[in-house]
Amino acid sequence: MIAVVILQSINAQGVLKGLVTDKDTHEPIIGATITDAVKRKPLTVTNADGCFVIPKKGDAQHSAQQIKITYIGYKPLTVKATANGHYELEAEISKLGEVVVTAQESRGLTSASKIEKHAMEHLQPSSFADLLELLPGGRSKDPVLSTPNNIHIRELSTGNANYATSSLGTSFVIDGAPISTNANMQYMAGAWDAAATARDNTNAGVDMRSISTDDIESVEVVRGIPSVEYGDLTSGLVKIERRKGGHDLNFRLKADMGSKLMYVAKDMEWQEKHLSLNLSADYLNAKADPRNRLENYKRVTLSARLNKAWEHESYNLQLTTNADYTGSFDNDKQDPDLNYHQEDSYKSSYNRMALMSQLQMKMKRQLWLKSVGLTVSAAYEHNLMERTRFIQLSRMTVAPTSKEEGENDAYILPFKYVGYHKVDGKPLNTYAKLNMRLQVPSNKVSNTLLLGADWNIDKNLGQGQVFDPYKPVYTSISSRQRALKEIPANHRVSAYAEENIKWPTPVGTFELMAGIRGTQMLNLPQAYTMHGKTYWDPRANIGYTLPKLTVFGKPTFIRLAGGIGQHTKMPTMEQLFPDKLYIDFIQLNYYHDNPDYRRINLMTYIRDPRNTALEPARNLKWEVSTDITLGGNRLAVTFFREKMTSGFRSQSYYDTYTYKQYDASAINADALTAQPDLGSLTYQEVNELAGYANYTNGSLTLKEGIEYTLETVRFPVILTRLTINGAYLRTTYNNSIVDSYRPSVVIDNRQLQYVGLYANDDGSVREQFNTNFTLDTDVPKLKLGFSLSAQCLWFTTSQRKEVSNYPTQYIAPDGSIHEWQDEYANDTYLRWLVRDYSASLFEKNRVPFSMNLNFKVTKKLLDDRLNVAMFCNRLLNYAPDYDSRGTTIRRHETPYFGLEMNLKI
């Protein structure tokens, strides 16, 4: 309707104007070609509003002029031109009444997957993580909701935190506002147990468990090179649009083998006021094991979305305001009957409140300025992680408490106590973006110039690590308490410009999307390399569509496209400002039967692990693709390569420290009336090598592969459509900087005081080739839809890259670095630096073919008000035994099923 008003308002003498829209969705079609049907001469193209203008040469001539309107994926339309005409193009595969239950390749220049509401309803997801099955290379997986779910696009993840930049560098944008995790510092210092470490999501990106799918209208997962409008990413972009308008009251109930979900929503719309309000609530309760009530995950979401539009003579305004709450809760508790009737529990709560407002103004008249948009958002989180544990020590253990360098006495812990440790985080994110779209009036080329800037601020107002130092849960903790609000806020400012051009010619249509984005991190101390430095991300996508062909009597469109672009992800707050490290050496450890006479004396060193040379992670992507549509059947193939050499990782460094080693043998225990006096004891000074870790840009991730999707028309007799999609993925991981290794061997009652430095350490190569064959059938008369998917995994391989057994250099006890010589392999001490890796460790491990058969069915009842659906993954599983290194591997998987009901009133 807005587009029609735009068309009417730009009517003027001397020109012939029209509007082109999609027949099913009524959305404007941008870049459609208008041709003189008789002379076969291109006249103009539609602009960003779907409108076109043809200069008149005479009213009589134009009143009889025949025009032809074409656009890839749509049936050509030849009609008589009329003043202010409204022309509707019909898609090659009409979406009207069509149920699409799979992801579809985007028609844009870059590779992207579009997932619509019908596909999500058919999939029956519990969280956003379930949707990844629909992407090329994706497969169905049982929901694992007891640990964070991170996204991996075009990647075979190792699960190693040193290669988590890919998930950290995937941006999630909901209704135009990004989700920021840059201020997330919810990790438990000193933790070594799975209860805490398995749920640590620091520096790993968005936890997809917290994103409910019920309000989502559509998702676009950009796997290729996105617009420069989107930044602070390396791997991909996830754009989520939620439902607006409507009048229904919606209920959803779902139960599967591991979770239960309840959802309710009320949609309200007042069309005469151009006003709508959508309210919703969601509750999920999941268990890792249904038999274990002591470990569970819960999610609560609340949402209110208000949309208001105003129509004026020269422009239209649209205001969107969202208010959202997300609560995500992990609980894990040991059975007291198995733990001396003492508590051993882990609790984590994530509470996020977000406000977003977006104002868009679209001009109605033929001006260079087409639209202006302003988006502002703020998100506040209160996150709490709690660990309570019964501690029982077998030897005298110290609790270092000094926050100053130097000698100090340590507190001796009791042999039994209950420790409590919490992490209090309060991340605050504010975001503002201003966009402007300009267009040079042209009858030959459709063009849009995007100009914009955004500002992102991250701050954490929490208390951080909070624990009783005299009753620590983790006795080996090497940090002290620090309030997170003391850390400077991260400010990131960006500006960008991008030109979009579509130029139809008699020999085909050329398309270009090219732009550049500059980003700078503010509020950094001058010592940082990034201080005052701007990082530029040039990106370009180009496409060429051949003129329409006829193959086997069917209209055929062929498009070739390619793109290349740089992508930058700034370091997080924890990577820029990590906790100080306290390195404690025991100088005296004296035990006495009388607790008052016991004494442990320490020498404490403080190290700041900040790496001021840390820079952003940068990923260079390029891809080439072809998109062929033949009579409604579509084949899309993409070859891609991504190389990131500066991913974030934790790297160990060693220094030499000096402390005293007191001789306690001279102490007369019977003569003591107080703690032994250090001044009366002899000592010797000892040099000790000790390591600490900081963040560097040392992780290399190389992604290569081919993605493909084939979509057929629905065969009329059997009412079935075939979709084939899959990918060959190859991911290479490597540590691109020198790594260190210190053997644990003990010589003369001390750990070896030498450290080896090795090149090409810590690397692996992983491959996967899969194809999913999906047959989906829609029977409108029976209001029944079902799909059968054969998910074939042709093979997977993994191989650890060969590492050197010999160091290139070594660190001596005094901290000096020396070159390695071959004769050192026979040295009493240095020979321990020669590692003995077996060649079998670097052999390629190949897992052969396996196939899962998944079944889903939906049935509509009560005049389409009630929808009942069920799914069964691995209804049939074929996974034959295979041999690996002389061992027979037997594979077996059990089905996973669920049932849900959707009601609209």
Side-chain angles (χ1 to χ4, degrees), residues 612-626:
T612 56
L614 187 68
E615 294 201 71
R618 291 169 69 78
N619 186 24
L620 179 64
K621 290 185 181 184
W622 65 264
E623 65 178 19
V624 292
S625 64
T626 181

Side-chain angles (χ1 to χ4, degrees), residues 275-304:
L275 178 68
S276 67
L277 176 64
N278 298 84
L279 305 174
S280 65
D282 165 274
Y283 173 74
L284 172 69
N285 189 342
K287 294 180 174 62
D289 184 343
R291 299 166 297 181
N292 182 9
R293 296 181 299 172
L294 301 179
E295 181 180 4
N296 63 66
Y297 168 79
K298 296 178 181 179
R299 182 190 70 213
V300 176
T301 63
L302 304 172
S303 179

Side-chain angles (χ1 to χ4, degrees), residues 89-296:
L89 295 188
E90 183 179 355
E92 291 286 351
I93 304 177
S94 178
K95 298 178 182 178
L96 190 61
E98 177 71 13
V99 178
V100 180
V101 300
T102 58
Q104 294 184 303
E105 277 296 297
S106 170
R107 297 284 183 180
L109 286 177
T110 190
S111 57
S113 298
K114 293 275 291 186
I115 305 173
E116 302 290 349
K117 187 66 176 178
H118 278 307
M120 286 181 276
E121 289 177 344
H122 191 72
L123 188 65
Q124 304 165 53
S126 296
S127 73
F128 191 89
D130 297 331
L131 300 184
L132 303 186
E133 168 188 345
L134 301 176
L135 304 184
R139 299 186 80 209
S140 63
K141 297 179 181 179
D142 294 347
V144 180
L145 298 173
S146 57
T147 56
N149 292 178
N150 299 119
I151 191 169
H152 299 281
I153 297 177
R154 291 177 166 176
E155 179 184 20
L156 305 173
S157 174
T158 64
N160 188 332
N162 282 329
Y163 299 104
T165 308
S166 290
S167 58
L168 176 66
T170 301
S171 178
F172 283 75
V173 178
I174 300 180
D175 292 338
I179 300 177
S180 175
T181 61
N182 292 324
N184 175 23
M185 299 186 72
Q186 291 301 106
Y187 66 93
M188 196 155 282
W192 49 264
D193 52 334
T197 58
R199 297 178 173 90
D200 183 359
N201 197 48
T202 311
N203 303 327
V206 173
D207 182 1
M208 293 184 291
R209 297 181 302 171
S210 63
I211 302 179
S212 170
T213 61
D214 292 295
D215 283 332
I216 298 177
E217 189 66 27
S218 67
V219 176
E220 183 178 17
V221 181
V222 180
R223 311 186 306 274
I225 296 94
S227 165
V228 295
E229 181 181 355
Y230 302 98
D232 201 36
L233 53 83
T234 58
S235 300
L237 170 67
V238 179
K239 294 164 52 178
I240 298 174
E241 296 292 335
R242 293 184 293 182
R243 186 174 63 253
K244 298 178 182 178
H247 302 279
D248 293 328
L249 177 62
N250 299 278
F251 296 93
R252 182 190 179 202
L253 299 175
K254 179 194 173 183
D256 58 33
M257 297 174 64
S259 65
K260 297 179 177 62
L261 184 148
M262 293 178 285
Y263 166 80
V264 60
K266 175 57 181 173
D267 303 329
M268 293 168 280
E269 184 174 5
W270 299 270
Q271 293 184 353
E272 68 281 359
K273 297 181 179 180
H274 305 289
L275 178 68
S276 67
L277 176 64
N278 298 84
L279 305 174
S280 65
D282 165 274
Y283 173 74
L284 172 69
N285 189 342
K287 294 180 174 62
D289 184 343
R291 299 166 297 181
N292 182 9
R293 296 181 299 172
L294 301 179
E295 181 180 4
N296 63 66

